[in-house]
Amino acid sequence: MAKIIIDPVTRIEGHLKIEAVVEGKEVKEAKSSGTLFRGIELILRDRDPRDAQRITQRICGVCPTSHSMAAALSLDSAFEVDDKIPDNGRIIRNLILGAAHVADHILHFYHLAALDYVDVARIAEYEGDIPALSSIRNFIKRGKLEPFVPRYEGDYRLSHKVNEQATAHYVQAFDMRRKGQEMLSIFGGKMPHNVGIIPGGVTSIPTVDKITSFLWRLKEIQNFVDNVYIPDVLAIAQAYPDYFGVGSGCRNLLSYGAYELDGKEPDLIKRKRLFKSGTTSASLNFTKLKPQRVAEEVKHSWYADSISQRHPSQGDVILDEKKDGAYSWIKSPRYEGKVHEAGPLARLMVTYASGKPEVRSLVDSSLAELKLGTDNMFSVLGRHLARALETKLIADCMANWLLELKPNEPAYTSYELPQEAMGMGLTEAARGALGHWINIKEGKIANYQVITPTSWNASPRDDREQLGPIEQAITGTKIKDEANPFEIVRIVRSFDPCLACAVHLISPKGNDLGAYRIY
Ligand code: NI
């Protein structure tokens, strides 16, 4: 029996520890721990409700845009303007969120996950003719491999030519991410922590100049997604078909839905959205979301048992950092008491299960090209494929939404600050379902709760001892070499976890985490 401790898992956002007990070259037991504490809910108490819009974005420098959207939706509902946002405001919010998601997915694939399959070190052995690679090649020839090492050594299977092209795309992807952030800033002012999305709408009105500035950047990104990103994911898919059967996880998928297509319906669940709110599983039956059935459990988290199994509108943060059996600062959100995975796979397959024709044809045609079935989507490469396909969906929709904007017309509606109110904001971060809940008393924030997608995916065992999605995805994995567990990090990275969102601030010392190995 061997115990593998990966702490922290690198090339993800934040600090995640994975412990895996391996017997007979197979993971028998897995634990996923968030090793930092997030106290943002405590910081928000007794503040002006509008502060939530600014402060919750500071939870994370990677996903602030999604927090700004969830906060705006939650405040819209508390301020009773959720059915009064002008179409311009609704569409600009979609464009800001979409620009963030597209840039995030390109970042995740090229700069975090693809290096598990692309061997940058190997480009020194092959004299290709891609000028963008000459300086990287010269560095590598001189033995300067950072930042690509240290790493767990994978089984690199791509041909020299595909490997070299993918490395060139790694460089090109930086430019695409910049373009995405510029798009976001055209309407959002800046990235990170945009100042565009506010309760009631957005802070800028559309102009022809802004629309064209957004559009030419978007066209470049659409071109990159269609001709580079999706083909690269398919090339890796063809070289690693076994990873369509690895890391399947809990097979329950949850999506809150995102991208408002109709601003006149106050109920978020009834509202028309690009990605549907609901749940599905391997059977691909679609079930509508019932937000009151979300609860957080804390039996194995460093929080007092008295706050377990509460709906987030009643949630609390009471620490118990010495609790027996606890191993994470992440709580365990559960839906109807069951473990659910959030993320692009969930969004895409929940929307697929709901029967949306453009999503069904996109997924079915990609799977047909790979000679795979929908069951293969529940896997490491299924998650990467879902992320790439939804990047295309979002980018293509943004091009249409831009044309729906009405230049120089309002994008904001005013509101009265209530003395007493409750609000709920459900949307999707790049990494999955994101919820904000606010309770206002005497004009101040009495309680604010955030459940991030990584809380769903990286959650520890719950009150019923059910393993979290990442823990389930790792359990049963075959490991070739316990000293080089590249299989585990491939699974973890396919979820694109963001631990800054799930947890925050610093942990007390004292838990024996073993030696740090930064791979
Ligand atoms: Ni984040």
Side-chain angles (χ1 to χ4, degrees):
M1 193 180 84
K3 192 173 201 178
I4 298 172
I5 299 177
I6 306 172
D7 181 16
V9 179
T10 55
R11 278 192 277 115
I12 62 166
E13 210 295 306
H15 300 264
L16 178 72
K17 178 175 81 155
I18 297 291
E19 273 185 59
V21 175
V22 179
E23 229 180 289
K25 300 287 180 191
E26 187 179 309
V27 176
K28 298 291 182 194
E29 197 189 322
K31 279 185 178 171
S32 142
S33 312
T35 57
L36 302 172
F37 164 69
R38 189 190 73 205
I40 214 96
E41 287 91 346
L42 302 177
I43 293 168
L44 283 164
R45 280 185 192 159
D46 294 325
R47 289 180 180 269
D48 185 306
R50 292 167 296 187
D51 285 356
Q53 182 64 40
R54 305 268 71 85
I55 292 174
T56 56
Q57 289 197 64
R58 271 71 187 175
I59 287 174
C60 180
V62 180
C63 336
T65 319
S66 308
H67 285 292
S68 79
M69 189 69 187
L73 292 171
S74 129
L75 295 173
D76 285 348
S77 64
F79 302 165
E80 296 184 356
V81 288
D82 39 9
D83 54 351
K84 299 182 184 68
I85 311 295
D87 282 342
N88 273 347
R90 169 181 64 80
I91 294 166
I92 289 175
R93 284 179 175 184
N94 285 346
L95 294 170
I96 292 174
L97 188 68
H101 283 183
V102 166
D104 248 15
H105 285 348
I106 293 171
L107 153 70
H108 174 260
F109 182 69
Y110 284 99
H111 301 136
L112 303 180
L115 297 173
D116 290 336
Y117 310 92
V118 177
D119 184 7
V120 177
R122 203 155 43 104
I123 67 163
E125 299 165 15
Y126 175 75
E127 282 301 331
D129 53 1
I130 301 177
L133 291 185
S134 59
S135 59
I136 294 185
R137 187 175 276 119
N138 286 338
F139 268 109
I140 291 173
K141 279 182 178 170
R142 295 205 308 265
K144 294 192 183 302
L145 281 162
E146 295 82 3
F148 305 111
V149 293
R151 64 182 181 183
Y152 292 116
E153 294 297 321
D155 54 340
Y156 303 109
R157 305 179 200 165
L158 300 177
S159 69
H160 273 309
K161 193 169 171 51
V162 172
N163 189 68
E164 191 195 36
Q165 280 170 344
T167 307
H169 298 157
Y170 172 97
V171 178
Q172 196 186 351
F174 285 111
D175 194 37
M176 292 300 125
R177 282 170 57 191
R178 180 168 55 80
K179 294 232 160 57
Q181 300 202 344
E182 286 170 355
M183 281 157 54
L184 191 162
S185 305
I186 287 168
F187 291 115
K190 68 190 182 75
M191 166 67 197
H193 311 136
N194 82 80
V195 290
I197 297 177
I198 53 169
V202 295
T203 52
S204 68
I205 55 166
T207 61
V208 172
D209 182 40
K210 284 179 184 168
I211 293 169
T212 50
S213 297
F214 195 101
L215 190 58
W216 72 256
R217 289 173 173 87
L218 177 60
K219 289 289 171 199
E220 275 196 52
I221 289 185
Q222 283 180 290
N223 188 34
F224 180 82
V225 172
D226 288 346
N227 299 311
V228 178
Y229 180 14
I230 291 177
D232 280 347
V233 172
L234 294 176
I236 287 176
Q238 270 150 1
Y240 292 86
D242 42 327
Y243 275 83
F244 277 103
V246 171
S248 60
C250 64
R251 289 171 181 262
N252 294 323
L253 304 176
L254 172 130
S255 163
Y256 286 160
Y259 297 105
E260 318 298 319
L261 305 180
D262 158 22
K264 307 303 166 222
E265 168 57 59
D267 185 339
L268 286 178
I269 303 309
K270 291 185 187 156
R271 203 178 273 180
K272 259 180 84 183
R273 290 175 143 187
L274 170 61
F275 294 111
K276 300 281 184 184
S277 63
T279 61
T280 194
S281 60
S283 63
L284 292 179
N285 290 324
F286 171 77
T287 311
K288 275 188 184 169
L289 187 79
K290 298 181 182 70
Q292 66 274 22
R293 300 202 179 162
V294 173
E296 290 187 293
E297 305 186 1
V298 300
K299 183 177 178 189
H300 292 281
S301 314
W302 286 301
Y303 301 96
D305 285 333
S306 59
I307 62 168
S308 204
Q309 300 195 16
R310 289 195 191 175
H311 185 266
S313 63
Q314 309 297 322
D316 205 342
V317 182
I318 302 173
L319 306 188
D320 184 356
E321 66 272 25
K322 298 211 161 50
K323 187 160 115 182
D324 284 342
Y327 60 92
S328 183
W329 285 109
I330 302 175
K331 297 176 183 175
S332 300
R334 296 291 184 256
Y335 181 74
E336 296 183 327
K338 292 192 193 128
V339 182
H340 281 77
E341 174 179 339
L345 175 67
R347 277 195 285 277
L348 199 71
M349 297 316 284
V350 164
T351 310
Y352 180 99
S354 80
K356 198 164 191 161
E358 63 264 43
V359 172
R360 289 192 84 96
S361 72
L362 190 63
V363 173
D364 287 340
S365 61
S366 305
L367 288 173
E369 192 178 332
L370 293 165
K371 299 187 175 58
L372 297 169
T374 49
D375 201 48
N376 297 108
M377 292 300 285
F378 297 83
S379 65
V380 167
L381 282 184
R383 290 185 193 97
H384 289 301
L385 181 60
R387 199 170 280 114
L389 296 180
E390 81 153 18
T391 308
K392 175 177 172 52
L393 273 172
I394 296 168
D396 292 354
C397 283
M398 282 199 288
N400 294 328
W401 294 334
L402 270 172
L403 302 178
E404 294 172 16
L405 286 171
K406 297 190 178 74
N408 306 315
E409 288 191 20
Y412 169 80
T413 190
S414 59
Y415 51 81
E416 298 269 319
L417 273 181
Q419 283 299 298
E420 313 276 320
M422 307 270 281
M424 176 178 77
L426 301 181
T427 187
E428 291 281 325
R431 293 157 180 84
L434 172 66
H436 284 202
W437 288 262
I438 189 169
N439 187 356
I440 300 169
K441 282 187 179 152
E442 296 175 13
K444 300 268 177 66
I445 299 176
N447 195 12
Y448 202 99
Q449 293 291 315
V450 173
I451 302 184
T452 63
T454 298
S455 297
W456 288 94
N457 291 338
S459 60
R461 285 154 176 73
D462 59 29
D463 292 10
R464 283 158 282 241
E465 305 297 332
Q466 301 178 102
L467 277 64
I470 289 179
E471 293 178 335
Q472 290 193 31
I474 294 169
T475 306
T477 302
K478 300 263 188 280
I479 305 290
K480 285 199 184 80
D481 174 7
E482 292 90 344
N484 181 44
F486 63 86
E487 301 91 343
I488 293 179
V489 288
R490 280 180 179 167
I491 294 170
V492 174
R493 288 187 186 122
S494 73
F495 284 87
D496 188 13
C498 179
L499 272 291
C501 269
V503 289
H504 218 220
L505 299 179
I506 208 104
S507 79
K509 298 273 181 198
N511 37 356
D512 179 14
L513 301 179
Y516 272 64
R517 301 181 62 192
I518 302 180
Y519 283 10

